[in-house]
Amino acid sequence: MTPPRAPQIPVVVLAGFLGSGKTTLLNHLLRNRAGNRIGVIVNDFGSIEIDAMTVSGQVGSTVSLGNGCLCCAVDASELDTYLETLTGPAARLDVIVIEASGLAEPQELVRMLLASDNPHIRYGGLVEVVDAAEFPATRKRHPEIDRHLAAADLIVLNKTDRVSDEELRAVRETAGTAGGGAAVIRAAYGRIDPELLFDPVLRPDEDDTFRQLTFEDLLPETDRTHEDHLHTAYESVSFTADVPLSPRRFMAFLDSRPAGLYRIKGFADFGAGDPGNRYALHAVGRFLRFVPQRWARGEPRRTQLVLIGSGIDAEALHKELAGCEDASQDATEELERSMWGVLRYVRQPDGDEA
């Protein structure tokens, strides 16, 4: 029997100009990591404060953060080498976050990730952090910020506690327009819900009675009160269908998915289009991948999807997805033609694209 394929590790690029709050957001993720072991790649030669630890000129070193997470400072040209190290079985990581230099071109890091031959990673999205209070001045000094926003999959308007409602509306409108439909969320002190970027991990092999204390354990209760409200920054929509989807209609939906929709995850059933497989779907921003997986014996044949974004219309999404259901299942010839739309985005189980 072929052993089960190890899941690919999402690699998230965290970008933004100097002072936008990238490291603050990263520290927040490390303190509220939803059970994940995070690998941090710092693409900067300066002094980067990561909680109690400083990465200062230690290019090429890998340091344990003491909670199952790792950090290393690298030159961008060595990115593939360190991705290979961090995706090895010994590291046991669930997520990798690359904190880009404040003056880096995030598009280049994204290009390197998408061109990587490493079969153990998948693109987890480009998160652009914006200082809402300094945005107009930053835009004057660095007009290239519009280009960065246009490449972003998620825009975080940080330090929103320092601006008025009117100023925030203006910044959100400008950033949203430059972002070309990317999801835009607001934050203060870099506090975003980690589930926007990665899923919680349950580890049955770990005993909660005896374990190392994590950042979450050590964080004072007074610092946790904001966590109850983080989910209000975005919406999550669940969709289940017990009849197969039409590949043609579903691909039309995905190709025209609405602005603000950041992530889609789950499984799609295309019925007679491919009766032997369900299709695991991973979409982040503009990037989309399907992975065909054999149905397990006795497994219910259904589509199950979760859609995450900001400013999305849950009722409209449900209606559009319900319109993709195909209870009658079109003629075989039509199904064969429409499956080509899916195959454009298929990654085979061995990691090769179709």
Side-chain angles (χ1 to χ4, degrees):
M1 179 181 293
T2 303
R5 180 172 176 253
Q8 292 178 315
I9 300 173
V11 181
V12 179
V13 178
L14 186 60
F17 282 91
L18 295 168
S20 61
K22 298 189 303 297
T23 303
T24 301
L25 193 154
L26 177 58
N27 282 327
H28 168 75
L29 293 178
L30 288 168
R31 290 193 299 264
N32 303 274
R33 55 196 176 89
N36 288 277
R37 294 189 175 98
I38 302 177
V40 179
I41 295 178
V42 181
N43 175 220
D44 203 323
F45 294 102
S47 178
I48 305 298
E49 294 288 345
I50 298 181
D51 279 301
M53 180 210 133
T54 300
V55 178
S56 182
Q58 299 180 55
V59 176
S61 63
T62 300
V63 184
S64 171
L65 298 183
N67 63 346
C69 300
L70 298 172
C71 180
C72 54
V74 306
D75 186 319
S77 64
E78 300 173 323
L79 184 60
D80 255 336
T81 301
Y82 277 87
L83 285 173
E84 189 66 32
T85 300
L86 292 177
T87 55
R92 300 180 66 201
L93 296 178
D94 305 296
V95 184
I96 296 172
V97 179
I98 300 176
E99 182 182 359
S101 159
L103 298 176
E105 285 289 338
Q107 301 96 317
E108 283 302 301
L109 289 174
V110 171
R111 183 189 61 76
M112 293 171 69
L113 287 176
L114 294 176
S116 173
D117 292 328
N118 190 325
H120 307 297
I121 65 170
R122 61 176 170 84
Y123 178 60
L126 168 58
V127 180
E128 183 75 18
V129 184
V130 172
D131 182 337
E134 297 295 328
F135 180 66
T138 301
R139 202 162 174 241
K140 285 183 179 179
R141 289 195 308 271
H142 302 287
E144 64 269 28
I145 192 172
D146 282 11
R147 187 172 70 250
H148 295 186
L149 291 169
D153 301 300
L154 176 68
I155 299 171
V156 178
L157 300 183
N158 196 28
K159 306 186 184 181
T160 55
D161 56 312
R162 296 176 50 198
V163 297
S164 66
D165 290 343
E166 183 178 349
E167 290 171 323
L168 180 57
R169 279 194 297 271
V171 170
R172 187 183 185 108
E173 182 178 348
T174 304
T177 300
V184 181
I185 62 169
R186 55 186 293 178
Y189 304 100
R191 295 167 180 167
I192 68 171
D193 193 327
E195 289 191 43
L196 260 171
L197 306 183
F198 45 77
D199 300 326
V201 169
L202 298 176
R203 299 188 183 282
D205 58 321
E206 290 187 353
D207 184 353
D208 265 352
T209 308
F210 301 100
R211 62 180 175 82
Q212 182 174 350
L213 290 176
T214 69
F215 283 122
E216 290 116 315
D217 297 319
L218 299 174
L219 196 64
E221 288 296 327
T222 53
D223 288 344
R224 296 177 191 239
T225 55
H226 70 276
E227 302 302 336
D228 295 334
H229 308 287
L230 290 177
H231 66 278
T232 61
Y234 69 96
E235 296 84 36
S236 178
V237 177
S238 298
F239 174 80
T240 300
D242 290 320
V243 297
L245 301 185
S246 160
R248 176 176 51 81
R249 295 177 203 163
F250 189 51
M251 290 310 304
F253 165 78
L254 292 174
D255 285 341
S256 60
R257 50 195 186 272
L261 188 55
Y262 174 56
R263 290 177 67 200
I264 308 175
K265 56 185 179 178
F267 303 93
D269 172 23
F270 294 122
D274 187 350
N277 289 305
R278 66 178 187 174
Y279 281 74
L281 169 61
H282 163 70
V284 56
R286 303 164 183 81
F287 296 87
L288 173 65
R289 284 291 180 269
F290 284 99
V291 178
Q293 299 177 349
R294 302 297 295 178
W295 289 104
R297 182 175 298 177
E299 180 180 4
R301 302 290 180 104
R302 62 168 60 106
T303 293
Q304 294 178 296
L305 300 171
V306 177
L307 303 91
I308 300 170
S310 175
I312 56 179
D313 185 334
E315 186 176 346
L317 285 174
H318 268 285
K319 186 175 180 180
E320 289 187 60
L321 286 168
C324 297
E325 295 179 11
D326 191 4
S328 65
Q329 283 293 283
D330 303 324
T332 302
E333 184 179 349
E334 171 62 20
L335 275 167
E336 289 175 351
R337 285 200 302 266
S338 58
M339 278 301 291
W340 280 107
V342 174
L343 292 174
R344 284 183 292 157
Y345 300 102
V346 163
R347 183 176 292 278
Q348 301 294 346
D350 62 0
D352 297 327
E353 283 189 39

